[in-house]
Each structure stands twice: as structure tokens, then as C-alpha cells.
Amino acid sequence: MQIKPILAALRHHKAGTLLIAAQIALTLAIVCNALFIIHARLVRLHQPSGIDEASLLVIGNQWAGKPGSDQMASLMAADLDTLRKVPGVANVYATNTFPLGNGGMALGVSHSPDKLKSVTTSGIYFADENALATLGLKLVEGRNFRPDEIGQLDRQGYVKPDVVIITRALAALMFPQRSAIGQPIYISAKPSIVIGIVDELRTPWVDTSFAKWADYSTLIPYRELTPIVQYIVRVQPGQLDEVMHRVRAALYAANRLRVISPKDGVRSFAQVREQAYRDDRGMAILMSGISVILLLITGAGIVGLTSFWVGQRRKQIGVRRALGATRHDILSYFLTENLLIAVGGVVLGGVLAIGLNLWLMKQFELDRLAPGYLLAGVVTLLLLGQGAVLAPALRASRVPPVEATRSI
Amino acid sequence: MLKMTHLSKVYRTEVVETYALRDFNIDVKEGEFVAVTGPSGSGKTTFLTIAGLLETFTGGEYHLDNIEVSNLDDNARSKIRNEKIGFIFQAFNLIPDLNVFDNVEVPLRYRGMKAPERKERIMGALERVGLASRAKHYPAELSGGQQQRVAIARALAGSPRLLLADEPTGNLDTQMARGVLELLEEIHREGATIVMVTHDPELAARAQRNVHIIDGQVVDLAEDPRFHTAYTAAAGQVRG
């Protein structure tokens, strides 16, 4: 190997060498953190909500004319009847929110009425006896709500359910040593008995700041009597698109005193998911764009500097060829030279990447950078360097040995 | 050692063919010190670049150390340059980024020689040219004469069969030129085969044999009436 003389020669080209190494270092630091963030965002895009999204529609309904609570209860019951009769509808229930809805109610859950002693926060879903079947939730222990347990809650009312259904994760947190079924939990001053445990149901929020308790959901047996209600509709297989059109017409035919937004009043869960993660997708695209641009700039920098060096050292290359260097020797000289600079760059870049990640962790509650990303970044930069240097290095290898005898 | 028979070198453009060498014949025996002289543009340097396998030729035959080189590929030519030929250039052609030791080491590295042997040969060659104490110096820190001595050490370190020198004293003042020439004579006395291209009649006179090139051909100045006057004048200068 020619490492020693290459290093010796690089000492005479400090400015260019340091510039490229610094560029590689910065690119590595930014790109591997960006890759990490992009991957985290992409993972989130596909994070399961726990419900059977492919078969579900959500209808956002707003009553017109400020109906009273009693009136809303009968209007809601009528709507649920109407929806059940729509061809292709398998089940339906009314609720305050839904997974990926990015809004709703969250309450502290504790073993006693003392709110200050809550074990965790839980996302609260209003549900009835049809909720589990509609959402496609798997009841792993206990039972479903009975129709006689479903209460009604107007704006002035307080949530104080007698019974609740909670997720397996919440049950394990609250009762790690025993079954949660039959145990009281407190989301209000009154105990609520756990009657059922469902396998998985994420809370409505997708923001990472809610991630700590994203698996801790509680279903409470209530219908909310507010002017805005969400109907969750389960459709029969393969009928999603048809049902989406039918439900709006059916509801307006039953009662015109309502608003269902023409834009997003009826949404499939694919649309709900797309809207929920729009910011994440945008961030991933932005980060990808920045990473690609940075890599291109670094690649262009390497091509530029190496081309300059090849031009500058044309005579020297000719001398080396005259002294017995093969084309391959010249090619490997420039590839090795670039590799040495790039290795220096990635070592510095690795330190910078970890530093940047620590700063991001502190500022934006980002996770610790997984070593795989650093490794991927290092490999990418080294390959980029070798790829970028290849064309000028090949040009150098074609410098003929007779160049040694030319005066300029 | 070096035998060219009916060798030609033609540079072609779209409109014109230029013969740099035409029906060129030369035979340099092992251990000879041959000076190649001739006016500018006569083909001296072309001869040297072809002799050193730095360039290919168009026609004829060239045997170097009993190897017919016309059909060799680039790698084989590189290997022969590395193992059999030592170059001394007019402009020294040292690599400015490398110190004296590393400069002399360049051809030995391409030979794949182990480090201890390289070191031994480098220091031997530097001692031979009287520059062992300057091993860590860079070319810019040396005089022209010293740089050329380093170049000679670089050429000698690989123990080549043939030394090719292109105007080795062309960039040196008289005193330095004399030193370099004495060194070449010493190397020749030790058995090396040297082919030296030069403009300098005094330098040429110090060689064992002179070969004159005019218009791409070897001519015998004494025999050719076209050049008789010029040759006599040149010889007179040398003798004077």
C-alpha cells in the first residue's frame, strides 16, 4: 500500500484536504441524523392503530339549529339506525374521537380517587356495545359493554363510568401482578370496574409528545350529546368506496339539518391516516431532499477537488508512470487518497453526528441515534467518496508516461 | 541491450503525417555509454521516449534486453520500465510533495519490494550520490545539482539494466553539470549501460560513443558529405 507517501503528499495540500474532510464530516453528521429522523417518521406512518382501518369510515356530523340534549340523543339514535340500513354497512357506533383523530379526551388513571396519584394518562374513547365489533378490536379478556350500561353525557356532565374496557398495555401497567378484570380504576372520583381488556388500541394522538402513553386507552360506555359527533362505520369487504357515497346521501335524506363537510366529512381511514401523518411525511420528504442535496454537494466537491489535483499533478502522474506505475497503481493512488481523506472525515463526522444527536435529544426529545444509522452514513459517505473520485481517478490513470518528458 | 531496427514513429493528424523517426536503426551494447546528439526537432527525445517505453512506435522492431517490446501491453511495459530502466530527466522530475527518501522509494514501491529491502537500497543509492544526509529534505530545499543527484539515486536504486538520461545537465550550471557528469561516468565505469540525449557537444564527447540523429534518422556525420562541414566544426569545438 502507498498510504505513507499519500499521507506525506496530503500534508502539502492541507487546505483542500481539510476542506473535503470537513465537508464529509458535516454531511455525515447531518445525513445520519436526518436518516434517523426520516426512518422514525416513516415508521410512524405505518404504526398500527389497533383498529381494522381497511374496513372503516369516519363521518364527522354537526347538527344545525342548536338542538337540546334530548333532541340530540334521538337524532343520534335515528342516524345510527339510518346508517345500519345503508347497503354495505356492517356496523356503526357514535363516539367523540377515534385513533389517528389527533383530538379527544385524556384523563389520569389511578388506583384511588386522588388525582395527584395517577399512574398514567389514558386516552378516553366514548363507546357503546357496538364499538368493539365496529373497530375490529380483539377482546382478550372479560366482556363487552351491555346496551343497558351505555350512558349519555351532555356538555355539563362529568365522565364517571361504572365500567370500563381498557387496553392490555394499560391493564398490565395498572395490575402487573394480577388480572385487571373486576378491579377498580379511577378516572374520576368514582371507581370504574374493568370489565374487558382489548388487545391493542392506540390513543388518538400521533404526536411524539403523547408517545409515552399511546397504548393506554380506555373505552367508556357513553354517547356524547354534543353538536359534533363522529360516526364510525364498518363496511362489508370491498364496499368502502360505494358506502362512502351512500352514507352521506342516506344521512341527508333522513335529516337535512346537519353539516357533513363536502371536503372531509366522510373519510376512509386511509385518508385519516394520510392527514394525521401529513407533517411527518412532509418532514421526511424535506429531510430526504436536504440529505440528497448535501450528498450531491459533497460528491461534487470531491469531483472538483480531485479533478483539480489530477490537472495539477499531470506531470507527476507521468513521472510515476515512467517509473513503473501501472494504470491501476495510479487509479488506486487516487482512490486510496480519497479513502484516507474520507476516513478522516467520517471519524470527525461520527463525533459530530453523536454531538448533534445529543443536542437534538435535549432540544426536541429525539431518541438516541441508533449505531446502525451512523454505520449506514459512514458507508454511504465512503462509497460516495469512492464513486465521486472514480471519474477523475480514471482520467489520471490514462495520463501517458510520456507526460514525464513534457516541459509543461 | 537496446536494439532498434527500421523503427519509425509517425504522428498523424487529419491532414498531415509527420515522421519523428524514420528507418531508425541503433544497437547499444551492454555496458556502453552512448550519447545521442542532434539539432532541435531531430527526433532525439522521441527516440528516448520510445527507448524508455514511454511511448509506442509505429513500425519496425525494438528489442530491449532481448525482449521484443512492440506487442507488450501497458502493464508489461510498466513492469519493464520499473525493473530494467532508470530515467534521468532534464527537469529532474522529483515529486515535490515527497522528501528525498520517499522520492527514491517511488519505483521500488511499484515493484512491490518489502520495506527493509527498500530502505537498504534507498540509503545505498543516496550514499552513492552523496546525499544520504539529505534523506528527509524536500526537493525545494535542495540545489539543482542535488536534485539531479536524487533523481540519479532514484534511477539507480532499482538496479536497472539501462539508464536513460534526457539532457541530464540541461538545467544545471557548469559546476553542477560537471559533478553530475562525473557521477554518470563513475556509474558507467561500474558497468551500467547509459544512453544520454544531449545538445551539449562537450558532454557528448565524454561518452564512449556518439550517435547523431538528423531528421529522425541516425547518420554518420563523418561519412555523410551533407554534414561533413558541420561535423568537422563540431568535432573541432570539442577537441578545442
Side-chain angles (χ1 to χ4, degrees):
Chain A
M1 284 303 283
Q2 319 178 39
I3 290 173
K4 186 178 151 259
I6 291 174
L7 284 174
L10 283 177
R11 277 202 288 274
H12 291 259
H13 300 274
K14 282 195 192 86
T17 304
L18 291 177
L19 203 66
I20 288 295
Q23 198 175 356
I24 289 171
L26 273 178
T27 305
L28 177 67
I30 295 169
V31 166
C32 65
N33 274 288
L35 277 177
F36 183 53
I37 293 168
I38 291 166
H39 187 244
R41 301 275 170 156
L42 292 178
V43 165
R44 279 156 50 75
L45 294 186
H46 302 290
Q47 202 160 42
S49 58
I51 62 172
D52 182 13
E53 293 178 32
S55 306
L56 297 177
L57 293 178
V58 58
I59 305 168
N61 182 80
Q62 184 169 4
W63 301 111
K66 296 184 182 171
S69 296
D70 292 345
Q71 211 180 343
M72 274 194 281
S74 59
L75 285 169
M76 188 186 290
D79 275 359
L80 292 173
D81 270 349
T82 301
L83 288 168
R84 281 205 180 85
K85 287 174 190 161
V86 172
V89 170
N91 214 333
V92 60
Y93 80 103
T95 184
N96 61 329
T97 188
F98 45 87
L100 309 175
N102 267 332
M105 182 188 283
L107 294 171
V109 187
S110 52
H111 289 295
S112 73
D114 187 350
K115 280 279 169 198
L116 295 173
K117 291 183 178 169
S118 69
V119 178
T120 182
T121 305
S122 173
I124 305 296
Y125 288 108
F126 286 55
D128 64 12
E129 71 278 13
N130 293 307
L132 300 194
T134 303
L135 292 172
L137 296 180
K138 189 177 164 198
L139 192 67
V140 292
E141 210 179 334
R143 66 170 177 85
N144 191 5
F145 295 127
R146 290 191 308 261
D148 62 286
E149 288 171 330
I150 311 303
Q152 292 183 335
L153 192 75
D154 62 18
R155 275 185 165 171
Q156 280 75 44
Y158 291 97
V159 168
K160 44 183 179 182
D162 293 329
V163 291
V164 291
I165 295 173
I166 60 175
T167 55
R168 192 205 294 262
L170 182 56
L173 179 75
M174 296 298 290
F175 305 101
Q177 305 297 331
R178 57 198 155 125
S179 168
I181 298 296
Q183 301 297 327
I185 62 169
Y186 289 82
I187 57 173
S188 67
K190 201 181 131 191
S192 303
I193 304 301
V194 177
I195 59 159
I197 297 170
V198 291
D199 189 21
E200 188 184 9
L201 175 63
R202 302 277 289 187
T203 55
W205 300 275
V206 297
D207 194 286
T208 47
S209 51
F210 297 91
K212 270 185 245 169
W213 42 276
D215 291 320
Y216 304 148
S217 296
T218 303
L219 293 138
I220 58 172
Y222 281 108
R223 288 198 184 100
E224 194 179 31
L225 301 177
T226 54
I228 297 173
V229 64
Q230 312 288 340
Y231 296 125
I232 309 295
V233 178
R234 181 178 190 82
V235 300
Q236 284 162 358
Q239 300 203 33
L240 198 71
D241 292 340
E242 294 88 333
V243 173
M244 273 181 87
H245 293 105
R246 286 180 203 144
V247 288
R248 181 191 296 274
L251 288 173
Y252 272 113
N255 186 346
R256 293 209 64 78
L257 291 174
R258 71 175 81 233
V259 177
I260 300 171
S261 165
K263 187 173 158 232
D264 56 4
V266 181
R267 288 181 291 166
S268 68
F269 259 85
Q271 291 168 309
V272 170
R273 181 171 279 276
E274 199 274 327
Q275 285 172 5
Y277 288 112
R278 186 169 287 166
D279 288 352
D280 288 287
R281 188 176 288 107
M283 180 63 85
I285 291 169
L286 181 70
M287 291 275 190
S288 305
I290 290 171
S291 301
V292 168
I293 289 170
L294 262 178
L295 289 170
L296 285 176
I297 291 172
T298 304
I302 293 169
V303 170
L305 186 72
T306 314
S307 296
F308 173 69
W309 279 351
V310 168
Q312 203 184 34
R313 297 188 219 165
R314 221 180 136 74
K315 171 102 177 197
Q316 193 187 115
I317 296 164
V319 171
R320 287 180 181 274
R321 293 279 281 128
L323 296 177
T326 59
R327 284 178 183 165
H328 179 263
D329 287 328
I330 300 297
L331 182 70
S332 89
Y333 180 95
F334 282 94
L335 291 177
T336 309
E337 181 181 73
N338 172 269
L339 193 65
L340 291 174
I341 298 172
V343 165
V346 297
V347 168
L348 178 64
V351 175
L352 281 179
I354 292 166
L356 180 61
N357 176 244
L358 289 174
W359 183 78
L360 289 170
M361 281 169 69
K362 200 174 163 191
Q363 298 293 320
F364 303 105
E365 294 186 352
L366 212 69
D367 289 336
R368 184 177 294 279
L369 181 67
Y373 291 90
L374 196 54
L375 189 67
V378 166
V379 172
T380 303
L381 263 298
L382 292 180
L383 288 178
L384 175 81
Q386 293 290 284
V389 86
L390 192 60
L394 280 169
R395 222 167 29 247
S397 74
R398 287 194 286 267
V399 171
V402 74
E403 196 73 29
T405 61
R406 292 184 181 142
S407 45
I408 301 291
Chain B
M1 168 58 62
L2 183 159
K3 187 174 184 186
M4 292 177 176
T5 315
H6 306 303
L7 192 128
S8 64
K9 174 69 182 175
V10 186
Y11 293 103
R12 290 193 173 93
T13 65
E14 281 178 16
V15 288
V16 70
E17 279 189 352
T18 310
Y19 276 81
L21 297 178
R22 185 199 301 264
D23 194 22
F24 189 91
N25 298 288
I26 191 169
D27 188 359
V28 178
K29 305 290 181 203
E30 187 159 1
E32 266 195 303
F33 183 0
V34 177
V36 179
T37 57
S40 289
S42 59
K44 299 188 301 295
T45 300
T46 303
F47 155 69
L48 197 82
T49 57
I50 290 172
L53 305 190
L54 302 179
E55 253 191 317
T56 55
F57 48 94
T58 315
E61 286 183 6
Y62 172 25
H63 288 83
L64 177 66
D65 200 20
N66 295 322
I67 300 169
E68 165 56 57
V69 300
S70 57
N71 295 319
L72 297 178
D73 65 13
D74 194 73
N75 282 348
R77 294 166 70 86
S78 296
K79 190 171 158 62
I80 290 179
R81 279 198 300 274
N82 182 261
E83 292 178 358
K84 293 187 184 292
I85 303 170
F87 287 100
I88 301 163
F89 301 99
Q90 179 177 0
F92 325 134
N93 282 356
L94 298 178
I95 293 169
D97 302 335
L98 301 181
N99 64 26
V100 165
F101 185 96
D102 291 340
N103 260 290
V104 178
E105 191 178 34
V106 170
L108 306 183
R109 275 186 179 270
Y110 291 130
R111 200 179 287 192
M113 201 178 274
K114 300 276 181 213
E117 189 185 350
R118 287 204 304 266
K119 188 176 179 188
E120 192 185 323
R121 281 182 179 243
I122 294 162
M123 292 317 292
L126 286 175
E127 272 164 26
R128 179 80 189 72
V129 300
L131 286 173
S133 62
R134 303 295 178 106
K136 295 294 170 195
H137 285 65
Y138 283 87
E141 298 165 347
L142 304 176
S143 70
Q146 286 172 324
Q147 288 188 49
Q148 192 59 297
R149 282 170 177 273
V150 174
I152 293 170
R154 180 175 68 184
L156 292 177
S159 310
R161 305 270 292 136
L162 174 67
L163 265 182
L164 294 176
D166 183 11
E167 303 278 10
T169 59
N171 283 9
L172 302 178
D173 62 33
T174 315
Q175 196 180 346
M176 286 180 181
R178 190 168 299 129
V180 166
L181 189 61
E182 281 166 4
L183 183 58
L184 287 176
E185 284 175 329
E186 209 176 302
I187 292 164
H188 170 239
R189 277 197 297 276
E190 287 165 10
T193 309
I194 302 176
V195 175
M196 175 177 70
V197 163
T198 182
H199 269 110
D200 184 348
E202 187 184 356
L203 206 59
R206 304 274 284 264
Q208 220 174 3
R209 177 158 73 98
N210 280 11
V211 171
H212 308 279
I213 302 178
I214 291 175
D215 292 338
Q217 285 183 306
V218 175
V219 293
D220 186 336
L221 295 186
E223 296 294 322
D224 193 327
R226 291 179 299 165
F227 307 111
H228 186 74
T229 314
Y231 172 73
T232 310
Q237 276 176 15
V238 172
R239 282 165 198 144

